[in-house]
Amino acid sequence: MAWIESHQGTDRHPKTRKLCRKLGISTPAAVGHLHMFWWWAMDFAQDGDISRYGPDDIADAIEWDGDSGQLYTALVEAGFIDETEAGREIHDWYAYAGRLIDRRAADAERKRNSRSGKKSVPPPSTGSPPDVQGTEEGQRAESIRDLNPNPNHNQYKDKDYCPEPPPAGQDDPPPSGKGKKPDKYGPDNTYYRMAVYFKDRVDEMAKGEGLEHLTARTNIQKWADDFRKLVELDKHHDKELIARVMDWVVKDDFWCRNVLSAEAFRNQFGKLVLAMRKPKRQSRPAGRSDKQSIDIVQDQEPAPEVSQEEYEELLRLAERMESGKGGQR
């Protein structure tokens, strides 16, 4: 099985970021396409020379759905492909796959000597995982034994040597071991119990809504660590209050839809406490008001009725007053 160096700095390297900008893709997508590019080269361009392949071949190799010409140009401008007078080659290819190439060549030489009865060549250093090879793979290794007849095995010892991404050898495969990394929070840990308690509350709410698998992919260790941060970093030491908020939040019409993880619970904890303690407004029947109504026009006693004689007398009085005013003009 082919193996190449994969450096932890690949995602942050300026070349990778430049490739992201050129292609308009995310960093994880760029890292994935680059590794597919290198894996493909291990099978079809083991010496790093890709002169016989065109942009369409490379695009197909890394499952690029966009324009193959744009992809090839971006790889060149970002520095992952070098264009030389002799053709096109993968930049610093020997730094990525050199040790595998050396190992394959040594294995092929050892097999050849074994068949001829000669003393076996000492096995190479264990700087890389073993290369699982069959007969066909071994024959392929023989064909590449002269790719680099004078490899510079001291290049990794030179403190000034820095291939791109970071120096080969800094990310040697971790030592093999059995079992996974032990959990940080065990079942007896307070924060673990807080995480399980809150998940049970959320699961109960989700089941009532017909969403039984809402938290199926929950990472309890991550939830436990969020509750540790809530207590130790955010200084919320009242665990009884935290438990009351857990019980309340899954019943609130608004917050039950917005707090579905320990991280969200921690980020919104202050608002949750205030919302829980805020008294609910009492709803009033429509059309009813507790305010005292104010009459705009107050009721008055009806005016007394006037007789016909009184009415005619009032008219004559008005005429005399009008004629008197005319005489004063």
Side-chain angles (χ1 to χ4, degrees):
M1 180 179 296
W3 179 90
I4 62 171
E5 300 265 1
S6 181
H7 304 285
Q8 67 186 32
T10 302
D11 60 331
R12 300 182 300 277
H13 199 281
K15 290 172 58 174
T16 306
R17 296 300 172 86
K18 185 175 183 178
L19 182 65
C20 291
R21 294 193 301 271
K22 293 290 183 181
L23 296 177
I25 59 177
S26 66
T27 300
V31 173
H33 285 308
L34 285 173
H35 278 75
M36 292 181 70
F37 179 45
W38 295 327
W39 296 335
W40 168 79
M42 287 304 304
D43 288 328
F44 302 103
Q46 295 176 352
D47 57 355
D49 185 356
I50 58 173
S51 301
R52 60 186 179 278
Y53 298 109
D56 290 341
D57 298 318
I58 297 174
D60 183 64
I62 70 173
E63 298 186 13
W64 173 255
D65 296 330
D67 182 79
S68 60
Q70 180 189 14
L71 170 66
Y72 176 79
T73 301
L75 289 169
V76 172
E77 293 181 356
F80 290 106
I81 294 178
D82 293 335
E83 291 184 325
T84 65
E85 294 182 357
R88 299 184 300 274
E89 59 185 27
I90 302 175
H91 180 75
D92 277 351
W93 177 242
Y94 193 78
Y96 296 124
R99 284 191 288 178
L100 176 62
I101 293 173
D102 289 345
R103 186 182 184 88
R104 284 181 170 177
D107 287 344
E109 184 71 17
R110 186 167 55 253
K111 290 178 181 179
R112 195 162 48 249
N113 291 336
S114 177
R115 287 193 295 268
S116 62
K118 296 181 180 179
K119 185 177 179 180
S120 299
V121 177
S125 63
T126 58
S128 63
D131 185 24
V132 180
Q133 300 184 23
T135 303
E136 182 177 323
E137 189 73 17
Q139 292 174 352
R140 192 190 310 177
E142 292 182 14
S143 66
I144 64 172
R145 66 182 183 274
D146 295 327
L147 289 180
N148 191 16
N150 297 306
N152 179 13
H153 294 288
N154 295 321
Q155 61 177 326
Y156 304 119
K157 298 180 182 180
D158 187 353
K159 64 180 181 180
D160 295 328
Y161 173 76
C162 183
E164 301 175 5
Q170 75 171 24
D171 283 330
D172 287 337
S176 60
K178 297 182 179 180
K180 65 177 183 178
K181 183 180 179 180
D183 293 333
K184 182 178 180 180
Y185 303 97
D188 295 332
N189 182 273
T190 299
Y191 304 122
Y192 183 92
R193 294 199 300 269
M194 293 172 70
V196 172
Y197 182 85
F198 185 51
K199 182 178 183 300
D200 288 344
R201 303 283 81 73
V202 175
D203 286 345
E204 183 179 354
M205 179 273 295
K207 185 176 181 181
E209 299 293 333
L211 301 171
E212 289 84 354
H213 303 291
L214 187 63
T215 59
R217 302 180 65 181
T218 296
N219 186 335
I220 287 293
Q221 291 294 314
K222 173 66 169 57
W223 281 34
D225 196 55
D226 286 324
F227 281 116
R228 177 192 65 80
K229 294 175 182 178
L230 176 67
V231 175
E232 297 182 3
L233 301 183
D234 302 341
K235 309 301 182 183
H236 294 295
H237 301 295
D238 190 345
K239 295 184 178 63
E240 292 184 1
L241 174 62
I242 295 175
R244 290 201 304 273
V245 176
M246 289 181 187
D247 294 334
W248 171 85
V249 70
V250 295
K251 299 176 182 178
D252 185 81
D253 291 339
F254 173 77
W255 288 109
C256 71
R257 301 190 301 269
N258 294 278
V259 178
L260 298 172
S261 69
E263 181 179 11
F265 185 92
R266 178 198 172 200
N267 293 338
Q268 301 293 342
F269 185 71
K271 294 181 180 180
L272 296 178
V273 173
L274 294 176
M276 182 183 70
R277 291 176 173 174
K278 185 177 181 180
K280 294 183 179 180
R281 291 182 294 181
Q282 297 294 329
S283 59
R284 299 191 181 99
R288 178 179 175 181
S289 175
D290 295 336
K291 294 183 179 180
Q292 183 178 2
S293 61
I294 301 176
D295 294 332
I296 299 177
V297 179
Q298 296 184 354
D299 294 336
Q300 298 179 354
E301 295 182 359
E305 294 183 2
V306 180
S307 64
Q308 184 63 30
E309 292 79 5
E310 291 175 331
Y311 177 70
E312 293 176 354
E313 181 62 28
L314 289 174
L315 289 177
R316 289 192 293 271
L317 177 60
E319 290 176 358
R320 288 197 298 269
M321 292 178 64
E322 184 66 26
S323 61
K325 290 180 180 181
Q328 294 176 358
R329 292 178 183 174

